Amino acid sequence: LDSACAGFYLLVVTWYAVEFVEFWVAGVLYRTRETMTEYDKPPILMSRIKFEKYDKDSSGYIELDELKSVLYDMGMRTSETDILGALLVLDKAKDGRVSYEEFQEWYRGREKRVDALTLTEDSQRVLSQAVAFFKYYDQDMSGEIDREEFRPMYDRLRKEWQAVGNEVGSLDDVLSSFDRNGDEKISLEEFAQWLMDAGCIYVQTAAD
């Protein structure tokens, strides 16, 4: 019995010791994280801190509207075209948002961060035209084109595609090709990504 009790007490003492050490280490890391400058902190730690700052809704992704803060903090232009261009550059998965892995890959290039998101004049112009075209059909200014708003866009696209000898699918088929997340609406990011994939627009930056 004594040996069993001794073993139990040893287990409890060990558990408390481990908990204390973990608590102490967590405290040190937190204080270090708060007091180190950007250039003192390890790049991986710094990229995580920055990512969490910009991921305002804690979704695990930086969305289009959250990207404005990234550009603003870097002293860059924050027009709708600039923000959309930054998303198209960073979003390697083409899902309309920036994951931590995508953000970290960009953040590693400290000297090229600004250049990597600065659109060339040609890209700025082409993307601005795409944004204007999208807004023309976004009648309720919701930032999305629903099925009814898409119908006149589809009629125009079908006429232009048929004029150059291209086959055109049904309204539902074409809508689905734009609609990556399956909500039967087209967001600005989905529209721009479709145009890029189709070779209709291109995005070049100062780093290219």
Side-chain angles (χ1 to χ4, degrees):
L1 182 61
D2 290 341
S3 61
C5 289
F8 171 73
Y9 287 129
L10 179 61
L11 180 63
V12 171
V13 170
T14 302
W15 180 78
Y16 272 111
V18 171
E19 288 291 303
F20 173 79
V21 170
E22 289 183 349
F23 181 80
W24 179 80
V25 170
V28 169
L29 288 176
Y30 178 80
R31 289 192 296 275
T32 301
R33 170 174 168 161
E34 295 300 310
T35 58
M36 283 194 302
T37 68
E38 175 174 350
Y39 295 102
D40 293 330
K41 295 177 183 178
I44 293 180
L45 174 60
M46 196 62 213
S47 64
R48 173 58 73 178
I49 293 172
K50 289 288 189 181
F51 183 84
E52 290 175 359
K53 172 187 176 182
Y54 299 124
D55 178 20
K56 299 183 186 301
D57 59 1
S58 301
S59 65
Y61 295 91
I62 297 176
E63 312 284 348
L64 182 65
D65 58 335
E66 295 170 327
L67 265 176
K68 182 176 182 177
S69 296
V70 178
L71 300 186
Y72 180 83
D73 284 355
M74 296 173 63
M76 299 177 62
R77 296 175 305 191
T78 56
S79 71
E80 191 170 22
T81 301
D82 292 305
I83 297 169
L84 179 60
L87 177 66
L88 294 174
V89 170
L90 296 174
D91 179 22
K92 306 300 184 185
K94 301 181 180 181
D95 57 1
R97 54 191 183 175
V98 181
S99 67
Y100 171 66
E101 291 74 20
E102 291 167 336
F103 180 83
Q104 184 186 39
E105 181 181 346
W106 163 76
Y107 195 83
R108 282 199 192 110
R110 178 180 295 174
E111 294 79 10
K112 297 182 179 180
R113 286 176 198 159
V114 173
D115 285 349
L117 299 184
T118 302
L119 299 178
T120 62
E121 289 186 11
D122 284 345
S123 290
Q124 184 88 18
R125 175 180 52 79
V126 171
L127 203 53
S128 293
Q129 292 171 349
V131 171
F133 185 86
F134 178 90
K135 287 184 174 181
Y136 178 81
Y137 291 99
D138 180 20
Q139 295 294 310
D140 60 2
M141 296 182 290
S142 65
E144 296 177 319
I145 295 176
D146 61 26
R147 184 184 179 83
E148 290 308 308
E149 292 172 325
F150 179 66
R151 191 177 297 279
M153 179 191 284
Y154 168 75
D155 290 340
R156 178 174 175 179
L157 292 174
R158 181 180 60 180
K159 183 183 297 184
E160 293 183 0
W161 288 340
Q162 288 176 337
V164 293
N166 291 332
E167 294 185 8
V168 183
S170 66
L171 184 144
D172 287 335
D173 290 339
V174 178
L175 177 61
S176 295
S177 69
F178 282 97
D179 179 23
R180 292 175 180 268
N181 64 3
D183 63 355
E184 298 187 351
K185 297 178 182 179
I186 305 171
S187 67
L188 177 58
E189 343 29 323
E190 288 174 328
F191 179 69
Q193 190 63 66
W194 185 93
L195 291 176
M196 277 190 66
D197 291 345
C200 301
I201 65 172
Y202 54 90
V203 174
Q204 288 183 313
T205 69
D208 294 333

